């Protein structure tokens, strides 16, 4: 890397997430994007102009070899992720790759191994690990306030992703690969290794090859459980209310942030690292940018607030990656975690297709990356 510790970037994919990454990268000190790539050359050109990037190309392979690049940021469609990561590793570039790392666990394993063999860093875009709301919920669970084991459940129904390729089994994998993988990864982060997966899935809308609707149960060795009731099968513009909560033998936690006029003076959790009595707006929190989860326990007439500072999780994950590159230290969430989460996704698809419970003693989960 340059002696000035400037980090130079080639960004692959100028779609919605690529644009989002560029917004963040342009704000980071001593980070410079040298080239953007997109198969739609006019879009690549327009994106380069919009963000002040000096070069563009319609061939992401050309960008992988661009002179002077330290880092490749992969925001391509999912079916190209593994190929792009392996190419970046061959050129000695550190890699940030949006999730999932691949569509099959063996392809993800190969891409992760390519980075290890080349001695380059790999971080995968599990941005929920940087979401202060989810981290605040994790702190409550770890504190024992809900008792253990817990059931973490989430129900949602929308029309899903904007492009048809997301619903192709060979291109995007559908919601139980592309979207729910955040839950699989955070579940492993919070609860540890997976014991079994059971799923009932279906294709709601015709013309799709990946399941878009279903019910999933992921049981962890710890006894905790993740339950998902998901659909990306509704017509455009139609959505239903979400349910997102954690249930335990000693209480329940609502993870659907909502404002209340009155905040109780009882003990509250502030951020994900601190527990304060009568927390108020401690730790430099911006009172206008606070989020609230709601804790319900026996003997309390009102739900108690769990207060956290809202944050930009995409910005936080990219900052963490750039710092890891600049300071030559391990990334926050790397290839081993990405492979493990994808193995859960593969088990969900298998269980949904066969109707049987997939036991994880039938599979080999990789060890966690060093932090």
């Amino acid at each position: 890397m340059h002696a000035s510790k400037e980090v130079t970037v080639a960004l692959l994919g100028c779609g919605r997430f690529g644009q989002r990454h560029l917004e963040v990268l342009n704000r980071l000190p001593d980070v410079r994007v040298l080239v953007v790539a997109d198969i739609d050359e006019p879009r690549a050109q327009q994106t380069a102009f919009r963000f002040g990037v000096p070069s563009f190309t319609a061939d992401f392979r050309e960008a992988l070899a661009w002179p002077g690049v330290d880092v490749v940021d992969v925001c391509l469609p999912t079916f190209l992720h593994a190929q792009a990561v392996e190419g970046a590793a061959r050129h000695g570039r550190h890699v940030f790759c949006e999730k999932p790392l691949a569509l099959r666990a063996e392809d993800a394993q190969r891409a992760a191994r390519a980075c290890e063999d080349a001695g380059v860093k790999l971080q995968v875009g599990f941005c929920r690990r940087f979401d202060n709301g989810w981290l605040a919920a994790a702190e409550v669970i770890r504190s024992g306030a809900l008792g253990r084991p817990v059931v973490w459940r989430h129900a949602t129904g929308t029309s899903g992703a904007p492009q048809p390729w997301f619903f192709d089994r060979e291109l995007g994998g559908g919601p139980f690969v592309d979207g729910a993988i955040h839950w699989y990864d955070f579940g492993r982060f919070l609860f540890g290794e997976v014991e079994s997966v059971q799923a009932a899935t279906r294709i709601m809308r015709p013309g799709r090859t990946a399941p878009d609707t279903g019910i999933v149960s992921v049981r962890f060795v710890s006894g905790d459980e993740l339950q998902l009731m998901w659909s990306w099968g509704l017509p455009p513009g139609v959505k239903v209310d979400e349910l997102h909560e954690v249930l335990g033998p000693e209480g329940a936690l609502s993870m659907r942030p909502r404002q209340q006029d009155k905040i109780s003076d009882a003990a509250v959790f502030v951020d994900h690292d601190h527990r304060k009595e009568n927390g108020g707006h401690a730790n430099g929190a911006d009172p206008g940018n606070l989020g609230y989860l709601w804790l319900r326990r026996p003997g309390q007439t009102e739900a108690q607030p769990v207060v956290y500072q809202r944050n930009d999780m995409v910005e936080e994950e990219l900052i963490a990656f750039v710092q890891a590159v600049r300071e030559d230290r391990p990334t926050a969430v790397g290839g081993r975690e990405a492979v493990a989460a994808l193995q859960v996704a593969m088990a969900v698809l298998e269980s949904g297709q066969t109707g049987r419970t997939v036991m994880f003693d039938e599979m080999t989960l990789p060890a966690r990356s060093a932090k």
Side-chain angles (χ1 to χ4, degrees):
M1 220 167 33
H2 306 306
S4 66
K5 292 192 176 180
E6 178 186 61
V7 175
T8 54
V9 181
L11 182 128
L12 314 185
C14 297
R16 180 169 57 93
F17 259 83
Q19 305 267 335
R20 179 75 182 88
H21 280 212
L22 285 168
E23 290 171 359
V24 171
L25 294 170
N26 269 6
R27 293 198 298 266
L28 301 186
D30 296 319
V31 173
R32 186 161 54 100
V33 181
L34 298 184
V35 60
V36 297
D38 196 281
I39 193 171
D40 182 341
E41 190 167 13
R43 181 164 69 174
Q45 182 177 22
Q46 291 163 10
T47 301
F49 177 78
R50 176 187 172 194
F51 290 98
V53 178
S55 301
F56 65 91
T57 176
D59 186 351
F60 77 83
R61 298 165 191 82
E62 184 179 6
L64 293 173
W66 206 264
V69 165
D70 300 316
V71 163
V72 173
D73 186 352
V74 181
C75 296
L76 296 165
T78 304
F79 64 94
L80 295 172
H81 284 186
Q83 181 183 347
V85 170
E86 290 181 73
R90 282 196 299 272
H91 288 285
R93 318 304 198 191
H94 303 296
V95 191
F96 184 99
C97 182
E98 267 303 330
K99 56 74 197 166
L101 184 55
L103 287 172
R104 291 177 174 79
E106 57 268 30
D107 295 334
Q109 183 70 68
R110 189 181 65 249
R113 189 179 298 115
C115 291
E116 291 175 1
D117 292 346
V120 299
K121 301 183 187 304
L122 170 64
Q123 183 167 323
V124 181
F126 290 117
C127 55
R128 292 296 184 176
R129 292 208 187 200
F130 299 85
D131 181 338
N132 281 352
W134 283 38
L135 291 169
E139 182 69 13
V140 173
I141 294 167
R142 287 171 174 154
S143 77
L146 305 178
R148 296 291 286 273
V150 299
V151 175
W152 176 25
R153 62 182 190 173
H154 182 234
T156 184
T158 70
S159 59
Q163 301 297 329
W165 62 262
F166 281 98
F167 301 95
D168 188 309
R169 176 65 186 85
E170 302 302 318
L171 301 180
F176 296 104
V177 176
D178 182 82
I181 200 165
H182 281 298
W183 275 254
Y184 312 149
D185 172 69
F186 202 85
R188 291 190 70 252
F189 168 71
L190 181 55
F191 303 132
E193 302 299 354
V194 172
E195 178 181 272
S196 64
V197 169
Q198 189 169 19
T201 60
R202 60 176 293 176
I203 296 175
M204 182 86 76
R205 300 185 64 189
R208 297 172 170 180
T209 59
D212 59 17
T213 301
I215 299 174
V216 171
S217 172
V218 180
R219 186 174 291 273
F220 296 84
V221 174
S222 63
D224 302 291
E225 188 173 358
L226 167 65
Q227 296 178 350
L228 299 177
M229 184 181 294
W230 267 44
S231 180
W232 279 8
L234 295 178
V238 177
K239 64 183 299 185
V240 296
D241 292 338
E242 286 192 33
L243 172 73
H244 199 188
E245 58 194 12
V246 185
L247 311 180
E250 301 296 330
L253 180 72
S254 172
M255 291 178 64
R256 289 289 299 158
R258 58 190 176 89
Q259 300 292 338
Q260 285 190 351
D261 293 333
K262 180 180 178 182
I263 300 298
S264 169
D265 288 334
V268 299
F269 291 78
V270 181
D271 296 327
H272 62 274
D273 290 324
H274 304 87
R275 186 177 181 179
K276 297 281 188 178
E277 294 298 322
N278 193 17
H281 306 309
N283 302 326
D286 173 7
N289 193 37
L290 296 179
Y292 299 90
L293 310 180
W294 299 94
L295 178 62
R296 294 168 172 83
R297 301 192 66 192
Q300 296 176 343
T301 58
E302 294 182 350
Q304 303 303 305
V306 178
V307 184
Y308 64 92
Q309 186 76 49
R310 296 180 189 273
N311 70 318
D312 184 335
M313 57 187 173
V314 173
E315 181 171 327
E316 296 284 353
E317 69 175 350
L318 289 173
I319 288 173
F321 174 65
V322 168
Q323 288 176 339
V325 170
R326 186 173 280 139
E327 299 170 11
D328 191 23
R329 53 182 176 80
T331 58
V333 51
R336 288 183 173 86
E337 292 87 352
V339 173
L342 191 58
Q343 285 183 300
V344 179
M346 297 299 96
V348 168
L349 294 185
E350 178 183 339
S351 180
Q353 182 174 358
T354 64
R356 72 180 187 93
T357 299
V358 177
M359 303 301 298
F360 266 68
D361 58 8
E362 303 170 7
M363 307 177 73
T364 302
L365 282 173
R368 298 185 184 192
S369 294
K371 294 293 186 287

